[in-house]
Structure formats: C-alpha cells, structure tokens
Amino acid sequence: MSHAITVNGLNKHFANGRHALCDINLQIGKGEMVALIGASGSGKSTLMRHLAGLVAADKGSASEIRINGDIVQSRGRIARDVRRVRAGVGMVFQQFNLVGRLPVLTNVLVGQLHRTHLLRGLMGWFTRHERAQALDALKRVGIAEQAPQRASTLSGGQQQRAAIARTLVQRAQVVLADEPIASLDPESSRRVMEILTRINREDGVTVLVSLHQVEMALRYCPRTVALHQGKVVYDGPSAALTPDMLRTLYGMQADEFLSPVEATPQAQAPAPAANLGLVMAQAA
Ligand SMILES: Nc1ncnc2c1ncn2[C@@H]1O[C@H](COP(=O)(O)OP(=O)(O)OP(=O)(O)O)[C@@H](O)[C@H]1O
Ligand SMILES: [Mg+2]
C-alpha cells in the first residue's frame, strides 16, 4: 500500500528538556481516516506540527517524515521544498485557521494561492471560476450563506467548516485536523466530523484528526493512534478501545477520555466497545 504519511524514528526534545515525542513510528495509508488521541500534553499538537513541517525534530536524529512520498523533514531538517509538499496538505489547526478581518470567501480562496499568482491572490483578483469553486466548497460544508461575512464573525463550528472548505479548494490529499471539535457543542462537533468523513469517503482524502473524546474516534475513525507522554501506546482498530483498554493504557488518566457515566467506579465492569457509542448517545 502506498502511504500518505510515514514517520520514522521521530524524537523531539524541547529547549526546556521536555521529551515531547519519543521514537514515533507511524504509517498511514492513502484514504485512511485515523484518530489521534491522548491526554492533554501527550504530544498530539506537537506531532501534527512536525507532520506539517512547522517544527523540526531533534537535530542529527535519524528521523524522517514523508507525506505522499515526499520528504517533509529528515534528521531534524525541514525539506527545502516543504512549501510544495505542504500544498497537498490541508491544515485545520485552531491557531492558523482563518484571517478574521477577511471575508469567508477570501479565506477559502487562499487555498488556491499555491496555484494562483501570489500578487493576484493578495489583490483579491480571483477568476470567476476560482470564486465558483470556493463557493462550491462552502456549499459542501454547509456555510455558503456566510461567504461574504468576515471570518471573525463566524461561530466556532462555522470557522472549522470554513477551514475544511479551504482544504477542499486547495485539493489537499492529506488533511491534518488538530482538535477541530475541541470547543464545539455536540451538534457542531457532529457536523464537523461528518464533513471530514465525507471528504475522506467521497474524495479519498487521508484524514488524521486529533480528538479528546474516544467516543468520537470510535464513531468516525476506523483506526486510532493513542499517545501517552509522547509515545505511541496503541495503534489499531478504534473498536478495540474499550474503557478497560483505556484504563490499561492510561490508568487514572483514562477518565479524561470517557464520558462521566463510563468514568464512575460502578461502570468499571468490562464494557464492549459498542457501549461507548450508547453512552455518548445518552449523554448528548
Ligand atoms: N514550544 C514548546 N516548548 C516547550 N515545551 C513544549 C512546547 N510545545 C509543547 N511543549 C510541551 O510538549 C508536551 C506536548 O504538548 P502538545 O501541545 O503537543 O500536547 P497535546 O497532546 O496537543 O495537548 P492538548 O490536548 O492540551 O492540546 C507538553 O508537555 C507541552 O508542554
Ligand atoms: Mg494540542
């Protein structure tokens, strides 16, 4: 199988000595939809930033990250042509999402910039065809009505959807979404996850999405990679991540992933994976 994402021997120590990523090895096939879970501080965002080539791994280490076969970084050095590689990677990262004062449509059109002449893009001279494509993308994520609105006036869920629309216009083959539903209500979360699922299924886009709730991983992603203190502690079917399994992996920290009902002591009897969905449905 050809891989969309390959990570070999990835280690990252921050200047303060923190070993944030410990010997990460990961292969994600083209067209997969994979959840990345882990407690706060486990390294999810750090891993995502390394994949996007925004942060370099430890210098001199034998690490290598490839996306669609192209090197993003190797031995702690970001590839010279990382911009070209990044053109195929859609990022739905909270801190880079949208330019608040620009209209939603323009934010989405920015997804074209690697193909459009930069100056033309900055002046807002997009062709009618480009505008139509951006509007189509906004329709697909259900926020076409908001196209002329300033991005800063969108709700959190709408902003995430606009960021996903931008990855569509960009024709990204890989989407990295870092906690896209972290601050959303259940209905907005469901919409964002369903849109990611649709672009995965309909367009064959590879999706890696970090999530706090294991129920969401179970519901939307066939495969889960679980991080604990910078290490991959589980990589396999999401359905196998029962509350018991999570307690084995995370101990008391498992409660961070489970709904209150699952986390109570009386709920500690072995529960089949399907029960997680049930609990989620009851809680919603
Ligand atoms: N620039 C940095 N300098 C020093 N330490 C950092 C830096 N960035 C992250 N860390 C540390 O690395 C660890 C992993 O952080 P990261 O943001 O990747 O966690 P996370 O899994 O995304 O957490 P959350 O669920 O809260 O978003 C944390 O201990 C964090 O404090
Ligand atoms: Mg994070």
Side-chain angles (χ1 to χ4, degrees), residues 178-221:
D178 191 12
E179 301 221 33
I181 59 170
S183 50
L184 305 183
D185 59 67
E187 173 60 15
S188 304
S189 299
R190 188 185 61 76
R191 282 186 163 209
V192 167
M193 289 308 294
E194 279 175 5
I195 290 162
L196 286 174
T197 304
R198 271 209 347 252
I199 65 168
N200 168 254
R201 294 210 183 128
E202 293 171 12
D203 304 12
V205 171
T206 307
V207 177
L208 178 65
V209 52
S210 73
L211 297 166
H212 240 95
Q213 308 97 317
V214 73
E215 293 93 342
M216 286 295 185
L218 189 58
R219 192 178 288 183
Y220 295 102
C221 305

Side-chain angles (χ1 to χ4, degrees), residues 72-216:
V72 173
Q73 55 172 289
S74 168
R75 298 182 171 271
R77 279 185 190 215
I78 307 279
R80 270 203 203 139
D81 63 345
V82 72
R83 278 170 190 274
R84 184 184 60 77
V85 184
R86 231 184 255 146
V89 183
M91 288 181 254
V92 184
F93 288 6
Q94 270 153 359
Q95 58 279 47
F96 302 100
N97 263 351
L98 304 169
V99 183
R101 67 196 153 71
L102 292 180
V104 175
L105 191 76
T106 311
N107 268 283
V108 172
L109 280 160
V110 166
Q112 299 265 15
L113 276 184
H114 67 283
R115 269 178 277 129
T116 311
H117 188 270
L118 184 64
L119 183 63
R120 194 161 65 81
L122 290 174
M123 301 296 282
W125 296 335
F126 292 97
T127 64
R128 188 180 295 184
H129 177 66
E130 284 164 349
R131 281 172 191 279
Q133 276 189 332
L135 207 54
D136 270 354
L138 286 171
K139 274 191 200 137
R140 272 189 83 187
V141 302
I143 53 167
E145 269 177 39
Q146 277 75 30
Q149 221 168 297
R150 278 182 182 214
S152 58
T153 63
L154 294 182
S155 72
Q158 289 170 339
Q159 289 191 25
Q160 298 296 36
R161 288 193 268 163
I164 297 170
R166 191 185 51 202
T167 75
L168 289 173
V169 163
Q170 189 188 339
R171 288 191 225 135
Q173 300 104 17
V174 173
V175 166
L176 304 174
D178 191 12
E179 301 221 33
I181 59 170
S183 50
L184 305 183
D185 59 67
E187 173 60 15
S188 304
S189 299
R190 188 185 61 76
R191 282 186 163 209
V192 167
M193 289 308 294
E194 279 175 5
I195 290 162
L196 286 174
T197 304
R198 271 209 347 252
I199 65 168
N200 168 254
R201 294 210 183 128
E202 293 171 12
D203 304 12
V205 171
T206 307
V207 177
L208 178 65
V209 52
S210 73
L211 297 166
H212 240 95
Q213 308 97 317
V214 73
E215 293 93 342
M216 286 295 185

